[in-house]
């Protein structure tokens, strides 16, 4: 309980909606810097339609390259359906994440299926992945609020999470897709989820649209959650969810963990290298709330050396 596990989703969530094309080498360079910083788990890419998300068209090359360079890395890939699983498996992926949204409209906008079909396809994909010996994550997106349908009933999130657990998801990732929630709502949902699911299977995925990402992570931490998604530099957002901003920044979450006396195994200066690499790729300045301070620390260390 003195350790938190972070999956850095910047190569997938962080890059999927960027207007600038990022090369396969650039993506692998980002993953390399994350590994050098001590990140043990990344979401490397997604096997989705290249028409829907052109930035992820090189998914096979990214996952094959990442696993060849970093065989010990936990490297999950997002798959929306069985075709995505088939492509991911052929490329050598060992871990997948299905993406189920908690509302009818968000599923239709994101993966062109209604809630019932999306739930069934996610279940089939999880079972098929487990039969192939893969590890599995299941997102429950718009778990707090949907950009199309407003507040999401907690009972529905619980029911879908239970179904994903029953379908053998190793990790259920509760996602605040548009960054609309606050600590009290997080605390309430985590408590409800923990009464029907093992706490250690739950992860939180916060977007930081309103600057509440770290506060929400703290509310989850205080209620026993130890698994989080985050994105270096705070990049990210679902292209099909209007108003979605970037994920909570990995560097902010690591700093929060340090302040709470929890280990992450991740080095902040190493993360700053990853932020700077992402800035080169995306040609704009990036960073979570802590990165200006991290840059000053780095400059101080350089002048003292
Ligand atoms: P569709 O058009 O309904 O699919 O798209 P279809 O089954 O009718 O097939 C149409 C064409 O797509 C066919 O090709 C299929 O083979 C192909 P064609 O015959 O026209 O040449 N196809 C595929 N190609 C590659 N990979 C696949 C695949 N499946 C079918 N897996 C589909 C349905 C799901 C494919 C599409 O809607 C899609 O790709 N959506 C992308 C969704 C996405 O990437 N969203 C962003 C990630 S989710 C997110 O960011 C939220 C998250 O971060 C958590 C949070 O913050 O909330 C996870
Ligand atoms: Mg996301």
């Amino acid at each position: 309980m003195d350790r938190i596990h972070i999956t850095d989703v910047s190569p997938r969530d962080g890059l999927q909606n960027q207007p600038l094309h990022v090369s396969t080498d650039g993506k692998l360079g980002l993953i390399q810097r994350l590994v050098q910083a001590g990140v043990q788990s990344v979401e490397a890419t997604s096997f989705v339609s290249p028409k829907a998300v052109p930035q992820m068209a090189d998914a096979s090359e990214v996952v094959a390259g990442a696993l060849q360079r970093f065989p010990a890395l936990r490297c999950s890939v997002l798959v929306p359906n069985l075709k995505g699983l088939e492509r991911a498996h052929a490329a050598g992926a060992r871990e997948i994440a299905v993406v189920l949204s908690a509302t009818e409209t968000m599923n239709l906008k994101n993966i062109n299926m209604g809630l019932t079909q999306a739930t069934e396809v996610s279940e089939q994909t999880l079972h098929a992945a487990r039969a192939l010996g893969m590890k599995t994550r299941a997102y429950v997106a718009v778990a707090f609020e949907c950009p199309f349908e407003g507040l999401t009933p907690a009972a529905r999130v619980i029911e879908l999470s239970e179904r994903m657990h029953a379908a053998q998801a190793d990790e259920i990732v509760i996602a605040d897709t548009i960054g609309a929630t606050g600590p009290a709502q997080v605390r309430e949902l985590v408590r409800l989820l923990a009464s029907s699911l093992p706490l250690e299977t739950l992860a939180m995925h916060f977007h930081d649209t309103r600057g509440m990402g770290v506060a929400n992570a703290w509310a989850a931490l205080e209620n026993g959650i130890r698994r989080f998604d985050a994105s270096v530099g705070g990049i990210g957002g679902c292209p099909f969810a209007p108003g979605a901003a970037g994920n909570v920044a990995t560097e902010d979450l690591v700093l929060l963990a340090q302040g709470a006396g929890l280990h992450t195994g991740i080095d902040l200066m190493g993360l700053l290298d990853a932020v700077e690499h992402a800035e080169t790729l995306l040609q704009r300045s990036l960073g979570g709330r802590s990165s200006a301070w991290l840059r000053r620390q780095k400059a101080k260390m350089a002048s003292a050396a």
Side-chain angles (χ1 to χ4, degrees):
M1 290 304 273
D2 65 346
R3 193 175 176 86
I4 74 166
H5 180 88
I6 296 177
T7 296
D8 188 293
V9 295
S10 60
R12 195 277 302 167
D13 204 331
L15 297 182
Q16 67 187 4
N17 68 349
Q18 299 295 337
L20 276 187
H21 172 74
V22 178
S23 70
T24 308
D25 270 355
K27 293 171 186 173
L28 290 171
L30 177 60
I31 294 171
Q32 178 185 332
R33 283 160 182 84
L34 294 172
V35 171
Q36 283 165 348
V39 172
Q40 290 148 26
S41 173
V42 298
E43 193 151 279
T45 186
S46 57
F47 287 85
V48 296
S49 160
K51 283 184 203 140
V53 189
Q55 189 74 263
M56 298 288 119
D58 60 351
S60 300
E61 290 78 15
V62 170
V63 74
L67 288 171
Q68 189 193 11
R69 290 187 201 184
F70 313 109
L73 180 66
R74 204 179 138 189
C75 190
S76 121
V77 299
L78 184 144
V79 303
N81 54 16
L82 287 166
K83 166 136 193 180
L85 172 64
E86 194 183 302
R87 290 178 59 214
H89 186 248
R94 300 186 299 245
E95 179 167 4
I96 56 108
V98 297
V99 55
L100 172 63
S101 297
T103 64
E104 179 77 9
T105 318
M106 190 65 232
N107 280 303
L108 286 169
K109 300 279 183 189
N110 196 35
I111 56 172
N112 198 24
M113 299 172 209
L115 178 57
T116 303
Q117 190 190 357
T119 308
E120 288 167 4
V121 167
S122 296
E123 288 171 331
Q124 287 160 9
T125 307
L126 289 169
H127 282 303
R130 286 295 293 260
L132 290 166
M134 298 167 107
K135 279 178 77 80
T136 52
R137 283 158 49 89
Y139 284 102
V140 179
V142 296
F144 299 93
E145 190 170 324
C146 169
F148 308 104
E149 297 190 20
L151 288 179
T152 306
R156 192 179 310 146
V157 177
I158 292 159
E159 184 201 328
L160 296 175
S161 301
E162 286 173 350
R163 282 190 60 175
M164 295 301 100
H165 181 62
Q168 302 191 324
D170 296 312
E171 199 171 302
I172 316 287
V173 190
I174 304 299
D176 183 17
T177 312
I178 55 169
T181 195
Q185 212 186 342
V186 171
R187 184 175 58 224
E188 181 61 16
L189 187 59
V190 170
R191 284 187 182 164
L192 290 169
L193 284 163
S195 62
S196 61
L197 290 168
L199 205 51
E200 61 278 10
T201 63
L202 295 173
M204 303 303 290
H205 175 111
F206 292 118
H207 284 264
D208 206 14
T209 316
R210 304 183 194 178
M212 287 292 108
V214 163
N216 290 335
W218 178 245
L221 266 174
E222 281 209 303
N223 286 280
I225 298 288
R226 292 293 179 269
R227 295 183 176 277
F228 293 89
D229 286 0
S231 170
V232 79
I235 51 176
C238 175
F240 309 103
N247 293 73
V248 66
T250 310
E251 55 273 25
D252 292 350
L253 199 55
V254 170
L255 202 57
L256 173 72
Q258 285 184 1
L262 297 164
H263 302 288
T264 59
I266 301 174
D267 171 57
L268 282 168
M269 287 304 150
L271 285 181
L272 190 54
D273 286 344
V275 173
E276 288 171 355
H277 178 73
E279 286 179 325
T280 308
L281 295 177
L282 302 176
Q283 294 172 31
R284 61 190 172 90
S285 41
L286 301 170
R289 295 299 302 260
S290 62
S291 50
W293 173 79
L294 282 172
R295 285 179 222 268
R296 287 197 297 277
Q297 297 298 107
K298 188 178 173 182
K300 262 194 219 165
M301 279 155 58
S303 65

